[in-house]
mmCIF file of all heavy atoms in Angstrom:
data_model
loop_
_atom_site.group_PDB
_atom_site.id
_atom_site.type_symbol
_atom_site.label_atom_id
_atom_site.label_comp_id
_atom_site.label_asym_id
_atom_site.label_seq_id
_atom_site.Cartn_x
_atom_site.Cartn_y
_atom_site.Cartn_z
ATOM 1 N N GLU U 1 -19.438 0.501 4.847
ATOM 2 C CA GLU U 1 -19.076 0.524 3.443
ATOM 3 C C GLU U 1 -17.599 0.274 3.305
ATOM 4 O O GLU U 1 -16.648 0.341 4.245
ATOM 5 C CB GLU U 1 -19.349 1.846 2.824
ATOM 6 C CG GLU U 1 -20.710 2.236 2.800
ATOM 7 C CD GLU U 1 -20.950 3.568 2.051
ATOM 8 O OE1 GLU U 1 -20.004 4.233 1.689
ATOM 9 O OE2 GLU U 1 -22.216 3.798 1.830
ATOM 10 N N ARG U 2 -17.163 -0.224 2.032
ATOM 11 C CA ARG U 2 -15.776 -0.496 1.775
ATOM 12 C C ARG U 2 -14.961 0.775 1.896
ATOM 13 O O ARG U 2 -15.449 1.727 1.260
ATOM 14 C CB ARG U 2 -15.739 -1.270 0.510
ATOM 15 C CG ARG U 2 -14.258 -1.856 0.230
ATOM 16 C CD ARG U 2 -14.260 -2.748 -0.987
ATOM 17 N NE ARG U 2 -15.055 -3.854 -0.770
ATOM 18 C CZ ARG U 2 -15.275 -4.847 -1.828
ATOM 19 N NH1 ARG U 2 -14.666 -4.637 -2.915
ATOM 20 N NH2 ARG U 2 -16.166 -5.845 -1.605
ATOM 21 N N GLU U 3 -13.820 0.701 2.389
ATOM 22 C CA GLU U 3 -13.039 1.868 2.567
ATOM 23 C C GLU U 3 -11.658 1.709 1.884
ATOM 24 O O GLU U 3 -11.018 0.652 2.163
ATOM 25 C CB GLU U 3 -12.835 1.993 4.118
ATOM 26 C CG GLU U 3 -11.843 3.194 4.415
ATOM 27 C CD GLU U 3 -11.471 3.297 5.957
ATOM 28 O OE1 GLU U 3 -11.722 2.206 6.595
ATOM 29 O OE2 GLU U 3 -10.799 4.251 6.368
ATOM 30 N N GLY U 4 -11.265 2.792 1.145
ATOM 31 C CA GLY U 4 -9.918 2.703 0.558
ATOM 32 C C GLY U 4 -8.950 3.108 1.503
ATOM 33 O O GLY U 4 -9.120 4.033 2.237
ATOM 34 N N LEU U 5 -7.851 2.252 1.443
ATOM 35 C CA LEU U 5 -6.769 2.631 2.407
ATOM 36 C C LEU U 5 -5.464 3.098 1.846
ATOM 37 O O LEU U 5 -4.873 3.987 2.398
ATOM 38 C CB LEU U 5 -6.470 1.231 3.132
ATOM 39 C CG LEU U 5 -7.540 0.524 3.884
ATOM 40 C CD1 LEU U 5 -7.025 -0.718 4.317
ATOM 41 C CD2 LEU U 5 -8.095 1.456 4.916
ATOM 42 N N SER U 6 -5.043 2.410 0.714
ATOM 43 C CA SER U 6 -3.675 2.911 0.196
ATOM 44 C C SER U 6 -3.567 2.405 -1.160
ATOM 45 O O SER U 6 -4.217 1.408 -1.531
ATOM 46 C CB SER U 6 -2.537 2.296 1.086
ATOM 47 O OG SER U 6 -1.368 2.709 0.591
ATOM 48 N N CYS U 7 -2.693 2.970 -2.150
ATOM 49 C CA CYS U 7 -2.506 2.541 -3.313
ATOM 50 C C CYS U 7 -1.012 2.807 -3.715
ATOM 51 O O CYS U 7 -0.369 3.663 -3.224
ATOM 52 C CB CYS U 7 -3.466 3.303 -4.269
ATOM 53 S SG CYS U 7 -3.214 4.985 -4.454
ATOM 54 N N VAL U 8 -0.535 2.024 -4.749
ATOM 55 C CA VAL U 8 0.755 2.100 -5.199
ATOM 56 C C VAL U 8 0.875 1.967 -6.696
ATOM 57 O O VAL U 8 0.096 1.265 -7.404
ATOM 58 C CB VAL U 8 1.700 0.997 -4.556
ATOM 59 C CG1 VAL U 8 1.227 -0.410 -4.946
ATOM 60 C CG2 VAL U 8 3.201 1.254 -4.876
ATOM 61 N N HIS U 9 1.662 2.959 -7.256
ATOM 62 C CA HIS U 9 1.896 2.988 -8.775
ATOM 63 C C HIS U 9 2.626 1.601 -9.211
ATOM 64 O O HIS U 9 3.155 0.989 -8.352
ATOM 65 C CB HIS U 9 2.750 4.242 -9.090
ATOM 66 C CG HIS U 9 2.813 4.427 -10.525
ATOM 67 N ND1 HIS U 9 3.857 3.858 -11.328
ATOM 68 C CD2 HIS U 9 2.139 5.368 -11.328
ATOM 69 C CE1 HIS U 9 3.730 4.238 -12.392
ATOM 70 N NE2 HIS U 9 2.725 5.179 -12.496
ATOM 71 N N ARG U 10 2.511 1.364 -10.498
ATOM 72 C CA ARG U 10 3.237 0.161 -11.072
ATOM 73 C C ARG U 10 4.606 0.220 -10.663
ATOM 74 O O ARG U 10 5.211 -0.770 -10.361
ATOM 75 C CB ARG U 10 3.095 0.208 -12.469
ATOM 76 C CG ARG U 10 1.731 -0.249 -13.065
ATOM 77 C CD ARG U 10 1.876 -0.511 -14.654
ATOM 78 N NE ARG U 10 2.519 0.774 -15.447
ATOM 79 C CZ ARG U 10 1.686 1.616 -15.774
ATOM 80 N NH1 ARG U 10 0.527 1.719 -15.545
ATOM 81 N NH2 ARG U 10 2.323 2.600 -16.475
ATOM 82 N N SER U 11 5.326 1.359 -10.642
ATOM 83 C CA SER U 11 6.620 1.408 -10.434
ATOM 84 C C SER U 11 6.996 1.339 -8.910
ATOM 85 O O SER U 11 8.155 0.919 -8.595
ATOM 86 C CB SER U 11 7.227 2.776 -10.828
ATOM 87 O OG SER U 11 6.730 3.774 -9.924
ATOM 88 N N GLY U 12 6.021 1.425 -8.143
ATOM 89 C CA GLY U 12 6.320 1.420 -6.656
ATOM 90 C C GLY U 12 6.791 2.665 -6.043
ATOM 91 O O GLY U 12 6.985 2.824 -4.813
ATOM 92 N N GLY U 13 6.898 3.672 -6.913
ATOM 93 C CA GLY U 13 7.573 4.876 -6.418
ATOM 94 C C GLY U 13 6.534 5.832 -5.863
ATOM 95 O O GLY U 13 6.910 6.899 -5.372
ATOM 96 N N THR U 14 5.267 5.763 -6.299
ATOM 97 C CA THR U 14 4.222 6.663 -5.876
ATOM 98 C C THR U 14 3.187 5.929 -5.013
ATOM 99 O O THR U 14 2.656 4.896 -5.495
ATOM 100 C CB THR U 14 3.588 7.317 -7.045
ATOM 101 O OG1 THR U 14 4.598 7.994 -7.856
ATOM 102 C CG2 THR U 14 2.534 8.389 -6.709
ATOM 103 N N THR U 15 2.898 6.443 -3.903
ATOM 104 C CA THR U 15 1.840 5.896 -3.028
ATOM 105 C C THR U 15 0.898 6.882 -2.533
ATOM 106 O O THR U 15 1.332 8.135 -2.506
ATOM 107 C CB THR U 15 2.506 5.100 -1.860
ATOM 108 O OG1 THR U 15 3.346 6.110 -1.151
ATOM 109 C CG2 THR U 15 3.337 4.035 -2.341
ATOM 110 N N ASP U 16 -0.298 6.516 -2.150
ATOM 111 C CA ASP U 16 -1.179 7.442 -1.365
ATOM 112 C C ASP U 16 -1.853 6.579 -0.188
ATOM 113 O O ASP U 16 -1.955 5.403 -0.434
ATOM 114 C CB ASP U 16 -2.269 7.929 -2.368
ATOM 115 C CG ASP U 16 -1.838 9.053 -3.277
ATOM 116 O OD1 ASP U 16 -1.585 10.148 -2.605
ATOM 117 O OD2 ASP U 16 -1.675 8.900 -4.420
ATOM 118 N N TYR U 17 -2.373 7.301 0.780
ATOM 119 C CA TYR U 17 -2.878 6.709 1.955
ATOM 120 C C TYR U 17 -4.154 7.516 2.379
ATOM 121 O O TYR U 17 -4.158 8.710 2.200
ATOM 122 C CB TYR U 17 -1.994 6.705 3.069
ATOM 123 C CG TYR U 17 -0.747 5.847 2.817
ATOM 124 C CD1 TYR U 17 0.377 6.491 2.280
ATOM 125 C CD2 TYR U 17 -0.735 4.566 3.281
ATOM 126 C CE1 TYR U 17 1.530 5.662 2.078
ATOM 127 C CE2 TYR U 17 0.438 3.693 2.907
ATOM 128 C CZ TYR U 17 1.551 4.281 2.436
ATOM 129 O OH TYR U 17 2.674 3.509 2.242
ATOM 130 N N SER U 18 -5.116 6.785 2.976
ATOM 131 C CA SER U 18 -6.228 7.505 3.575
ATOM 132 C C SER U 18 -5.748 8.017 4.916
ATOM 133 O O SER U 18 -4.711 7.589 5.602
ATOM 134 C CB SER U 18 -7.390 6.512 3.711
ATOM 135 O OG SER U 18 -7.050 5.636 4.770
ATOM 136 N N SER U 19 -6.457 8.985 5.409
ATOM 137 C CA SER U 19 -6.022 9.640 6.617
ATOM 138 C C SER U 19 -6.148 8.681 7.836
ATOM 139 O O SER U 19 -5.486 8.794 8.877
ATOM 140 C CB SER U 19 -6.812 10.955 6.928
ATOM 141 O OG SER U 19 -8.209 10.542 6.946
ATOM 142 N N SER U 20 -7.028 7.713 7.598
ATOM 143 C CA SER U 20 -7.278 6.706 8.838
ATOM 144 C C SER U 20 -6.171 5.848 9.073
ATOM 145 O O SER U 20 -5.950 5.328 10.072
ATOM 146 C CB SER U 20 -8.576 5.972 8.555
ATOM 147 O OG SER U 20 -8.348 5.226 7.323
ATOM 148 N N VAL U 21 -5.223 5.596 8.028
ATOM 149 C CA VAL U 21 -4.134 4.727 8.181
ATOM 150 C C VAL U 21 -2.783 5.335 8.005
ATOM 151 O O VAL U 21 -1.656 4.654 8.114
ATOM 152 C CB VAL U 21 -4.298 3.444 7.305
ATOM 153 C CG1 VAL U 21 -5.562 2.800 7.494
ATOM 154 C CG2 VAL U 21 -4.143 3.898 5.886
ATOM 155 N N GLN U 22 -2.700 6.633 7.558
ATOM 156 C CA GLN U 22 -1.499 7.304 7.383
ATOM 157 C C GLN U 22 -0.568 7.283 8.592
ATOM 158 O O GLN U 22 -1.057 7.587 9.639
ATOM 159 C CB GLN U 22 -1.815 8.784 6.886
ATOM 160 C CG GLN U 22 -0.579 9.614 6.687
ATOM 161 C CD GLN U 22 0.016 9.532 5.308
ATOM 162 O OE1 GLN U 22 -0.646 9.464 4.371
ATOM 163 N NE2 GLN U 22 1.387 9.256 5.250
ATOM 164 N N GLY U 23 0.593 6.858 8.377
ATOM 165 C CA GLY U 23 1.585 6.817 9.371
ATOM 166 C C GLY U 23 1.651 5.516 10.202
ATOM 167 O O GLY U 23 2.510 5.271 10.919
ATOM 168 N N ARG U 24 0.584 4.648 10.004
ATOM 169 C CA ARG U 24 0.475 3.289 10.609
ATOM 170 C C ARG U 24 0.706 2.257 9.609
ATOM 171 O O ARG U 24 1.365 1.192 9.950
ATOM 172 C CB ARG U 24 -0.774 3.193 11.407
ATOM 173 C CG ARG U 24 -1.078 4.032 12.478
ATOM 174 C CD ARG U 24 -2.210 3.639 13.326
ATOM 175 N NE ARG U 24 -3.485 3.619 12.534
ATOM 176 C CZ ARG U 24 -4.387 2.530 12.410
ATOM 177 N NH1 ARG U 24 -4.004 1.465 13.136
ATOM 178 N NH2 ARG U 24 -5.402 2.524 11.825
ATOM 179 N N PHE U 25 0.216 2.458 8.411
ATOM 180 C CA PHE U 25 0.085 1.403 7.230
ATOM 181 C C PHE U 25 1.278 1.845 6.289
ATOM 182 O O PHE U 25 1.231 3.036 5.906
ATOM 183 C CB PHE U 25 -1.134 1.253 6.770
ATOM 184 C CG PHE U 25 -2.152 0.559 7.646
ATOM 185 C CD1 PHE U 25 -1.960 0.337 9.004
ATOM 186 C CD2 PHE U 25 -3.294 0.123 7.017
ATOM 187 C CE1 PHE U 25 -2.938 -0.353 9.672
ATOM 188 C CE2 PHE U 25 -4.379 -0.534 7.914
ATOM 189 C CZ PHE U 25 -4.134 -0.595 9.239
ATOM 190 N N THR U 26 1.870 0.798 5.645
ATOM 191 C CA THR U 26 2.729 1.124 4.582
ATOM 192 C C THR U 26 2.542 0.150 3.490
ATOM 193 O O THR U 26 2.561 -1.072 3.663
ATOM 194 C CB THR U 26 4.291 1.103 4.988
ATOM 195 O OG1 THR U 26 4.472 1.988 6.060
ATOM 196 C CG2 THR U 26 5.302 1.497 3.904
ATOM 197 N N ILE U 27 2.221 0.532 2.253
ATOM 198 C CA ILE U 27 2.255 -0.150 1.117
ATOM 199 C C ILE U 27 3.428 -0.261 0.373
ATOM 200 O O ILE U 27 4.315 0.713 0.377
ATOM 201 C CB ILE U 27 1.058 0.415 0.231
ATOM 202 C CG1 ILE U 27 0.637 -0.633 -0.878
ATOM 203 C CG2 ILE U 27 1.514 1.652 -0.428
ATOM 204 C CD1 ILE U 27 -0.571 -0.220 -1.594
ATOM 205 N N SER U 28 3.774 -1.350 -0.226
ATOM 206 C CA SER U 28 5.063 -1.594 -0.898
ATOM 207 C C SER U 28 4.865 -2.693 -1.981
ATOM 208 O O SER U 28 3.891 -3.337 -1.870
ATOM 209 C CB SER U 28 6.187 -1.816 0.057
ATOM 210 O OG SER U 28 5.997 -3.050 0.706
ATOM 211 N N ARG U 29 5.793 -2.769 -2.920
ATOM 212 C CA ARG U 29 5.723 -3.951 -3.737
ATOM 213 C C ARG U 29 7.210 -4.443 -4.035
ATOM 214 O O ARG U 29 8.114 -3.712 -4.000
ATOM 215 C CB ARG U 29 5.138 -3.433 -4.983
ATOM 216 C CG ARG U 29 5.692 -2.421 -5.974
ATOM 217 C CD ARG U 29 4.771 -2.025 -7.067
ATOM 218 N NE ARG U 29 4.019 -2.980 -7.727
ATOM 219 C CZ ARG U 29 2.857 -2.899 -8.377
ATOM 220 N NH1 ARG U 29 2.339 -1.802 -8.439
ATOM 221 N NH2 ARG U 29 2.353 -3.893 -8.978
ATOM 222 N N ASP U 30 7.180 -5.791 -4.152
ATOM 223 C CA ASP U 30 8.514 -6.405 -4.539
ATOM 224 C C ASP U 30 8.267 -6.958 -5.938
ATOM 225 O O ASP U 30 7.549 -7.896 -6.136
ATOM 226 C CB ASP U 30 8.620 -7.693 -3.486
ATOM 227 C CG ASP U 30 9.975 -8.245 -3.753
ATOM 228 O OD1 ASP U 30 10.419 -8.302 -4.871
ATOM 229 O OD2 ASP U 30 10.444 -8.765 -2.809
ATOM 230 N N LYS U 31 8.877 -6.273 -6.841
ATOM 231 C CA LYS U 31 8.682 -6.671 -8.254
ATOM 232 C C LYS U 31 9.315 -8.036 -8.583
ATOM 233 O O LYS U 31 8.829 -8.779 -9.394
ATOM 234 C CB LYS U 31 9.295 -5.616 -9.226
ATOM 235 C CG LYS U 31 8.400 -4.362 -9.198
ATOM 236 C CD LYS U 31 8.819 -3.374 -10.248
ATOM 237 C CE LYS U 31 7.908 -2.219 -10.621
ATOM 238 N NZ LYS U 31 6.833 -2.800 -11.531
ATOM 239 N N ALA U 32 10.309 -8.353 -7.832
ATOM 240 C CA ALA U 32 10.993 -9.739 -8.134
ATOM 241 C C ALA U 32 9.966 -10.816 -7.767
ATOM 242 O O ALA U 32 9.994 -11.992 -8.277
ATOM 243 C CB ALA U 32 12.215 -9.931 -7.302
ATOM 244 N N LYS U 33 9.126 -10.537 -6.733
ATOM 245 C CA LYS U 33 8.150 -11.618 -6.289
ATOM 246 C C LYS U 33 6.750 -11.291 -6.816
ATOM 247 O O LYS U 33 5.779 -12.124 -6.422
ATOM 248 C CB LYS U 33 8.172 -11.577 -4.685
ATOM 249 C CG LYS U 33 9.424 -12.085 -4.160
ATOM 250 C CD LYS U 33 9.214 -12.147 -2.584
ATOM 251 C CE LYS U 33 10.581 -12.660 -1.962
ATOM 252 N NZ LYS U 33 10.511 -12.735 -0.569
ATOM 253 N N HIS U 34 6.579 -10.240 -7.571
ATOM 254 C CA HIS U 34 5.269 -9.947 -8.244
ATOM 255 C C HIS U 34 4.221 -9.819 -7.130
ATOM 256 O O HIS U 34 3.047 -10.300 -7.328
ATOM 257 C CB HIS U 34 4.911 -11.007 -9.292
ATOM 258 C CG HIS U 34 5.910 -11.061 -10.399
ATOM 259 N ND1 HIS U 34 5.821 -10.294 -11.560
ATOM 260 C CD2 HIS U 34 7.089 -11.820 -10.428
ATOM 261 C CE1 HIS U 34 6.938 -10.662 -12.324
ATOM 262 N NE2 HIS U 34 7.657 -11.606 -11.684
ATOM 263 N N THR U 35 4.505 -9.156 -6.081
ATOM 264 C CA THR U 35 3.751 -9.153 -4.842
ATOM 265 C C THR U 35 3.618 -7.646 -4.340
ATOM 266 O O THR U 35 4.586 -7.045 -4.384
ATOM 267 C CB THR U 35 4.286 -10.046 -3.745
ATOM 268 O OG1 THR U 35 4.367 -11.394 -4.276
ATOM 269 C CG2 THR U 35 3.375 -10.080 -2.630
ATOM 270 N N VAL U 36 2.451 -7.313 -3.842
ATOM 271 C CA VAL U 36 2.329 -6.133 -3.113
ATOM 272 C C VAL U 36 1.923 -6.338 -1.710
ATOM 273 O O VAL U 36 1.137 -7.264 -1.396
ATOM 274 C CB VAL U 36 1.189 -5.295 -3.787
ATOM 275 C CG1 VAL U 36 0.856 -3.998 -2.941
ATOM 276 C CG2 VAL U 36 1.513 -4.896 -5.124
ATOM 277 N N TYR U 37 2.556 -5.608 -0.764
ATOM 278 C CA TYR U 37 2.410 -5.842 0.652
ATOM 279 C C TYR U 37 1.677 -4.580 1.270
ATOM 280 O O TYR U 37 1.803 -3.551 0.856
ATOM 281 C CB TYR U 37 3.687 -6.031 1.292
ATOM 282 C CG TYR U 37 4.481 -7.102 0.800
ATOM 283 C CD1 TYR U 37 5.596 -6.751 -0.092
ATOM 284 C CD2 TYR U 37 4.202 -8.418 1.224
ATOM 285 C CE1 TYR U 37 6.238 -7.826 -0.642
ATOM 286 C CE2 TYR U 37 4.920 -9.451 0.655
ATOM 287 C CZ TYR U 37 5.971 -9.152 -0.227
ATOM 288 O OH TYR U 37 6.627 -10.204 -0.703
ATOM 289 N N LEU U 38 0.889 -4.792 2.426
ATOM 290 C CA LEU U 38 0.438 -3.835 3.307
ATOM 291 C C LEU U 38 0.822 -4.207 4.713
ATOM 292 O O LEU U 38 0.423 -5.047 5.278
ATOM 293 C CB LEU U 38 -1.113 -3.725 3.219
ATOM 294 C CG LEU U 38 -1.654 -2.544 4.026
ATOM 295 C CD1 LEU U 38 -1.255 -1.191 3.433
ATOM 296 C CD2 LEU U 38 -3.128 -2.664 4.080
ATOM 297 N N GLN U 39 1.928 -3.364 5.037
ATOM 298 C CA GLN U 39 2.431 -3.463 6.385
ATOM 299 C C GLN U 39 1.615 -2.716 7.430
ATOM 300 O O GLN U 39 1.396 -1.449 7.255
ATOM 301 C CB GLN U 39 3.870 -3.039 6.531
ATOM 302 C CG GLN U 39 4.558 -3.090 7.955
ATOM 303 C CD GLN U 39 4.673 -4.460 8.417
ATOM 304 O OE1 GLN U 39 5.155 -5.493 7.731
ATOM 305 N NE2 GLN U 39 4.238 -4.769 9.778
ATOM 306 N N MET U 40 1.004 -3.347 8.375
ATOM 307 C CA MET U 40 0.074 -2.674 9.349
ATOM 308 C C MET U 40 0.685 -2.707 10.728
ATOM 309 O O MET U 40 0.779 -3.760 11.288
ATOM 310 C CB MET U 40 -1.271 -3.268 9.295
ATOM 311 C CG MET U 40 -1.914 -3.467 7.808
ATOM 312 S SD MET U 40 -3.513 -4.193 7.780
ATOM 313 C CE MET U 40 -3.232 -5.718 8.522
ATOM 314 N N ASN U 41 0.863 -1.601 11.183
ATOM 315 C CA ASN U 41 1.434 -1.343 12.548
ATOM 316 C C ASN U 41 0.516 -0.645 13.493
ATOM 317 O O ASN U 41 -0.407 0.016 12.984
ATOM 318 C CB ASN U 41 2.843 -0.559 12.503
ATOM 319 C CG ASN U 41 3.890 -1.342 11.695
ATOM 320 O OD1 ASN U 41 3.881 -2.496 11.566
ATOM 321 N ND2 ASN U 41 4.747 -0.550 11.124
#
């Protein structure tokens, strides 16, 4: 099934993560580029 990993507020200031990726993945957004990223380590 499809699994939710992470989410970010419009402001970029609030984020949430699933336990499966917490500490390894980071969500962020660049408002100047109108882009949201998921850094996966």
Side-chain angles (χ1 to χ4, degrees):
E1 293 186 353
R2 191 172 294 181
E3 174 190 14
L5 304 177
S6 182
C7 61
V8 61
H9 190 276
R10 287 193 302 272
S11 68
T14 302
T15 60
D16 278 295
Y17 295 91
S18 71
S19 58
S20 63
V21 303
Q22 178 81 47
R24 296 191 300 127
F25 292 9
T26 302
I27 193 170
S28 63
R29 63 191 316 156
D30 185 332
K31 284 186 165 289
K33 295 183 178 181
H34 303 269
T35 300
V36 174
Y37 302 101
L38 186 68
Q39 177 67 45
M40 306 187 296
N41 298 329

